[in-house]
Amino acid sequence: MSDLGQYTSLYQSLAGVPGLDSGWCVPGAPGSLADVNVMLKFSQTDLRSNRKRSYLATTAVSTQHGKIAAGPFPIDLVNVTYISPSPSGKQLALVRLPDETKKEESFVEVWADGRLVISVSLKPHGTVCTDDTFGCLEWDPSEKYIALVAEPPKEMTHFFDLDSKKQRGDKFQFSQDWGETFTSLACPKPFVLDVDTERITPVLGLPAHLAAGQLVWAPKANNDGERDIVFVGWGNDLPLRKLGLRYCYNRPSSLYRVSLQLPLEEKKVCRCQPITPVGPRYSARSPRFNLSGSGLVFIFTEGIVTHNACAEICMIDWVHGQEPSKHKCVVPIVDRPSSREAFCGIYTHALPQRAFLDDDTILLHTQWRSTVGVVFIRLSSGEVTRVPSIKSGGSMMVLDTIPNVGTLLSCSMPNSPASVYVVSKSGLLVQDQWTLVYTPNDSLPGMGTLKNIAWDVHTVVPRDGSDDVLEAIVIAPAKAEGPLPLILVPHGGPHSAYGTSYIMSSAFLASCGYAVAHINYRGSTGFGQGPLLTLPGHIGTQDINDTEDVGLALLAHKTDKNTPRFDEGKVTLCGGSHGGYIVGCMIGRPHAALRYKACVMRNPVTDIAGMVTSTDIPDWCLVEAGVPYANDQSAVVTDPSVLSQLYKVSPIASLAKIATPTLFLIGDSDRRVPPSQGVSMFHALQEKGVPTRLLMYPKNNHALMGAEAEPDAWINVALWLEKY
């Protein structure tokens, strides 16, 4: 494929397949044939206007008779950033911006009975949080109040401000934020919206430096009529410096309880106390009450310095009006699974917002080797049961659960975007009782393209003799004449993982004629805590060797006709973030077992010694490079020997050996890996005469997911690989 028009047409066809973002179950009306209404939120990039559009589609479903009817047209969610149905399904709360650029002027809207009930401005209270770390729009059980989190506005003035009552001269005072994607958040606080009076009141009484998020209401009131809210708090026991939170799930945090007398009075100071251990060793997140309110379940880690890892599922016995008990572990950390089929542990950044099948059973999804699997857990016994995937080998996620009505699950594969099913509690393990609610329309051009793609998972034993295996998900043209060009794609993190889920960019490259190998090296999540912890202190060697080992194993793979499946002379590399670090190291290896025709680096780490002073996660630089670090110590590095150690494991240290044509894709607003990392290596390669190109995307952060940047980047990747 050498025609630019073919690449753009192919990308456009795949971009026309909607992407599923989230979904909710709403109980059907009494007497209705449909006992559940399903709401699905989709996103789609409008390539002509360079905008990402979101919309809501609804379907009425009977869990006994199947799908009843889908709404005729979706609803465009113009500038809507958060959606939350009430527990009864009779009201819908959402956050809307008057303009997509004015996040500080958002409104909370409540819709019911086919009309807009209230629209309340949040501008006096600051910027509302609608992300998946701090954000929430949590209805109380009575549906009279909504808890939310917002960054309070700061009154900062210059020296000649005419209002003499204000403190002057602090307009340019530096204020720390929470890093990548959280540059406007310093210390978000909880608020309560009274739906009847349309009044928003701050919850006072929290420690001044405590940032709050992930609020949940206790299902019942205390004996004195007070209502409890539980939330996650960050920053009360941290060093002076805030470290980035995005993708960093093990940051020190605790659960807190705050007791409210409703309706909440202005300037009323509430009682606030921690209910899990506080300190740099502890991390608690994602609190969820069971149905009766007798137990609070959450995700917990202790003493973990990597940003992601295996976690415990813990529970606190909850008696309303009494001091919470000490938490107990329900599902412990798994060091190494007993077999390749055995449970590998919990690896999820959050529990589903509504997760309980009954008082004793919670449903969630977690990384399970190279898939994402759904499991249900018995809290009384800790027993974990996996729900078989409706699509063989595919990855599944829990979208929503309503007890006695149904659970909403999605399932996708590398060549198949998400389909959605409603499942009754009794039918979780009986797939012929699953009701298909949504699947992408086969008539879409992109679906025709995907039918020509196949995928499989390869297990590879490392050459160093380790018992910890590697895995690769290979996505490739289903019918190919002759060996395929092979792209090795190690993931970022490094403590994350690829799953057998649909990723449009990989489907695009496979449609262009490439075999794309998503590589889960040792250090990935989903394989046990033991294999994950072998990587810190060994980056630049173990992860590089693992990626190369996968490449060698794949090149040895034969077709049914005993011919090579992949072309040894057409192996290329592509990686972002830590994946960019890996491929950057690989092209600088003097005695590599493979030679690479081209390389693509997306917001790559190239110089760890330089990065440690400018990233929002300096601790990452130390932990992964093997420098002793604890969460309560400073990440400021002045020791020349430490800087030398960081430099030695950096791609830039092997610059003299690099001759591979390299494409750099950089977001100019990246706080995680500063743009200077890629830019400096680009200049260095250019001066050496190595073929290189750099694309800089304005107003794009680490993920490079902007509406204009994403298609431009991947089409340029295809052109670069074809050129070399």
Side-chain angles (χ1 to χ4, degrees):
M1 185 179 293
S2 57
D3 181 6
L4 174 60
Q6 288 180 281
Y7 285 128
T8 56
S9 176
L10 183 58
Y11 192 94
Q12 189 169 17
S13 73
L14 292 172
V17 180
L20 177 68
D21 294 333
S22 49
W24 302 267
C25 293
V26 177
S32 169
L33 184 60
D35 52 2
V36 59
N37 294 301
V38 172
M39 300 192 305
L40 300 177
K41 180 176 175 287
F42 295 92
S43 61
Q44 192 173 344
T45 300
D46 184 342
L47 296 172
R48 298 297 183 188
S49 65
N50 293 321
R51 291 180 59 200
K52 290 203 172 185
R53 308 288 290 273
S54 296
Y55 62 87
L56 197 66
T58 58
T59 301
V61 178
S62 167
T63 53
Q64 290 186 339
H65 302 95
K67 184 175 175 180
I68 304 297
F73 303 105
I75 301 169
D76 191 356
L77 298 173
V78 180
N79 296 332
V80 173
T81 59
Y82 204 94
I83 295 175
S84 178
S86 68
S88 70
K90 296 179 180 179
Q91 302 186 81
L92 180 70
L94 56 85
V95 175
R96 191 189 303 271
L97 308 180
D99 181 287
E100 61 183 7
T101 64
K102 297 180 179 178
K103 294 183 178 180
E104 71 282 359
E105 298 181 16
S106 52
F107 288 77
V108 174
E109 299 175 359
V110 174
W111 294 75
D113 300 322
R115 67 184 183 91
L116 175 65
V117 179
I118 64 171
S119 179
V120 182
S121 173
L122 282 158
K123 186 175 181 180
H125 309 287
T127 303
V128 66
C129 299
T130 58
D131 57 86
D132 59 2
T133 298
F134 295 102
C136 62
L137 206 59
E138 185 76 5
W139 290 88
D140 87 309
S142 73
E143 302 190 6
K144 294 181 179 180
Y145 302 95
I146 298 173
L148 55 96
V149 175
E151 177 73 20
K154 299 177 179 64
E155 294 188 36
M156 304 176 81
T157 64
H158 58 77
F159 284 111
F160 301 100
D161 195 298
L162 296 178
D163 187 350
S164 60
K165 295 180 181 179
K166 295 180 179 178
Q167 178 183 353
R168 298 179 180 180
D170 61 356
K171 182 175 182 179
F172 301 104
Q173 175 71 35
F174 174 67
S175 179
Q176 293 190 66
D177 56 50
W178 290 101
E180 172 73 11
T181 75
F182 297 133
T183 55
S184 63
L185 301 180
C187 199
K189 297 292 186 182
F191 294 79
V192 173
L193 165 63
D194 186 322
V195 176
D196 291 335
T197 64
E198 303 183 24
R199 189 181 70 179
I200 297 177
T201 307
V203 177
L204 305 179
L206 277 66
H209 299 292
L210 192 68
Q214 304 177 26
L215 280 60
V216 292
W217 294 89
K220 297 179 181 178
N222 299 329
N223 294 333
D224 56 4
E226 287 188 329
R227 295 297 306 278
D228 287 336
I229 286 179
V230 173
F231 65 91
V232 180
W234 296 267
N236 197 38
D237 198 59
L238 283 174
L240 292 178
R241 178 173 182 173
K242 288 186 172 78
L243 300 177
L245 276 180
R246 173 61 68 189
Y247 316 121
C248 302
Y249 308 118
N250 290 328
R251 288 282 181 238
S253 58
S254 302
L255 299 187
Y256 290 78
R257 179 179 73 171
V258 60
S259 301
L260 315 176
Q261 191 72 53
L262 298 175
L264 193 58
E265 299 177 11
E266 291 281 354
K267 300 183 180 180
K268 171 73 173 181
V269 177
C270 305
R271 294 183 294 110
C272 178
Q273 65 178 122
I275 56 175
T276 61
V278 176
R281 291 179 50 82
Y282 307 107
S283 177
R285 65 182 188 272
S286 199
R288 302 288 185 267
F289 279 99
N290 65 356
L291 302 180
S292 67
S294 62
L296 178 69
V297 177
F298 57 97
I299 302 171
F300 184 75
T301 61
E302 179 179 352
I304 303 296
V305 294
T306 56
H307 290 164
N308 198 2
C310 190
E312 298 177 0
I313 295 294
C314 291
M315 186 172 76
I316 294 174
D317 292 326
W318 196 272
V319 179
H320 297 276
Q322 297 184 15
E323 294 296 311
S325 64
K326 183 179 179 181
H327 74 270
K328 57 187 177 185
C329 178
V330 175
V331 179
I333 287 171
V334 174
D335 183 57
R336 280 181 169 83
S338 57
S339 69
R340 294 188 181 181
E341 294 74 33
F343 175 57
C344 305
I346 297 297
Y347 308 86
T348 185
H349 73 275
L351 302 175
Q353 197 65 34
R354 297 192 289 196
F356 283 90
L357 295 172
D358 56 45
D359 225 32
D360 189 48
T361 311
I362 189 169
L363 192 70
L364 57 93
H365 52 261
T366 179
Q367 189 78 30
W368 191 308
R369 296 174 69 92
S370 292
T371 65
V372 178
V374 170
V375 301
F376 58 86
I377 300 169
R378 303 290 185 192
L379 300 178
S380 55
S381 65
E383 179 186 3
V384 178
T385 303
R386 185 173 187 177
V387 177
S389 176
I390 190 78
K391 298 179 180 180
S392 179
S395 286
M396 298 201 305
M397 298 183 70
V398 181
L399 301 177
D400 196 14
T401 295
I402 298 182
N404 304 318
V405 175
T407 292
L408 199 62
L409 302 176
S410 70
C411 183
S412 75
M413 298 188 296
N415 61 352
S416 177
S419 297
V420 179
Y421 303 83
V422 169
V423 188
S424 66
K425 177 184 174 182
S426 61
L428 276 172
L429 302 178
V430 186
Q431 294 181 347
D432 59 6
Q433 296 183 19
W434 293 27
T435 300
L436 178 64
V437 176
Y438 165 82
T439 194
N441 193 327
D442 271 347
S443 66
L444 293 172
M447 294 303 292
T449 300
L450 293 172
K451 289 179 181 178
N452 296 316
I453 296 175
W455 64 275
D456 53 2
V457 178
H458 295 252
T459 300
V460 176
V461 177
R463 286 178 293 170
D464 62 14
S466 170
D467 292 332
D468 300 323
V469 298
L470 324 171
E471 287 190 347
I473 306 163
V474 178
I475 308 140
K479 298 178 181 179
E481 296 181 3
L484 290 166
L486 177 64
I487 311 173
L488 302 180
V489 190
H491 60 72
H495 306 298
S496 62
Y498 282 119
T500 54
S501 308
Y502 178 70
I503 301 176
M504 196 196 88
S505 57
S506 297
F508 168 67
L509 292 175
S511 301
C512 293
Y514 296 95
V516 181
H518 288 168
I519 298 171
N520 287 329
Y521 45 86
R522 285 172 291 177
S524 302
T525 54
F527 292 80
Q529 190 82 311
L532 184 146
L533 294 178
T534 63
L535 184 57
H538 298 96
I539 62 167
T541 52
Q542 180 174 292
D543 44 1
I544 313 306
N545 292 336
D546 286 357
T547 304
E548 191 174 77
D549 287 356
V550 169
L552 290 170
L554 293 177
L555 289 173
H557 191 68
K558 303 291 185 181
T559 66
D560 293 339
K561 298 179 180 180
N562 202 34
T563 58
R565 184 181 175 192
F566 308 108
D567 191 335
E568 186 174 355
K570 295 182 179 179
V571 181
T572 56
L573 301 170
C574 180
S577 192
H578 189 86
Y581 164 85
I582 290 175
V583 300
C585 288
M586 291 178 75
I587 59 176
R589 299 192 95 178
H591 305 295
L594 293 172
R595 290 293 177 264
Y596 309 104
K597 302 296 289 186
C599 181
V600 177
M601 302 171 72
R602 304 174 70 249
N603 284 329
V605 175
T606 64
D607 179 5
I608 302 178
M611 177 175 159
V612 73
T613 63
S614 51
T615 178
D616 67 333
I617 53 165
D619 59 311
W620 176 93
C621 301
L622 303 175
V623 169
E624 300 301 340
V627 178
Y629 176 81
N631 281 326
D632 58 347
Q633 74 182 65
S634 171
V636 176
V637 178
T638 57
D639 187 336
S641 65
V642 172
L643 292 171
S644 176
Q645 183 175 342
L646 301 183
Y647 177 81
K648 286 178 182 178
V649 296
S650 299
I652 201 77
S654 301
L655 183 69
K657 305 178 185 72
I658 296 177
T660 305
T662 302
L663 172 66
F664 293 89
L665 307 172
I666 306 297
D668 77 344
S669 301
D670 190 350
R671 288 283 300 279
R672 180 57 41 93
V673 179
S676 59
Q677 289 280 299
V679 172
S680 61
M681 190 164 179
F682 162 75
H683 285 310
L685 292 180
Q686 195 176 47
E687 291 171 4
K688 284 180 81 263
V690 176
T692 187
R693 186 183 183 203
L694 186 145
L695 300 175
M696 180 72 73
Y697 295 101
K699 298 180 181 179
N700 270 260
N701 54 34
H702 194 55
L704 283 180
M705 294 290 284
E708 191 171 15
E710 187 177 17
D712 184 88
W714 287 112
I715 292 172
N716 270 296
V717 168
L719 291 170
W720 186 260
L721 298 181
E722 181 185 54
K723 182 177 180 180
Y724 292 102

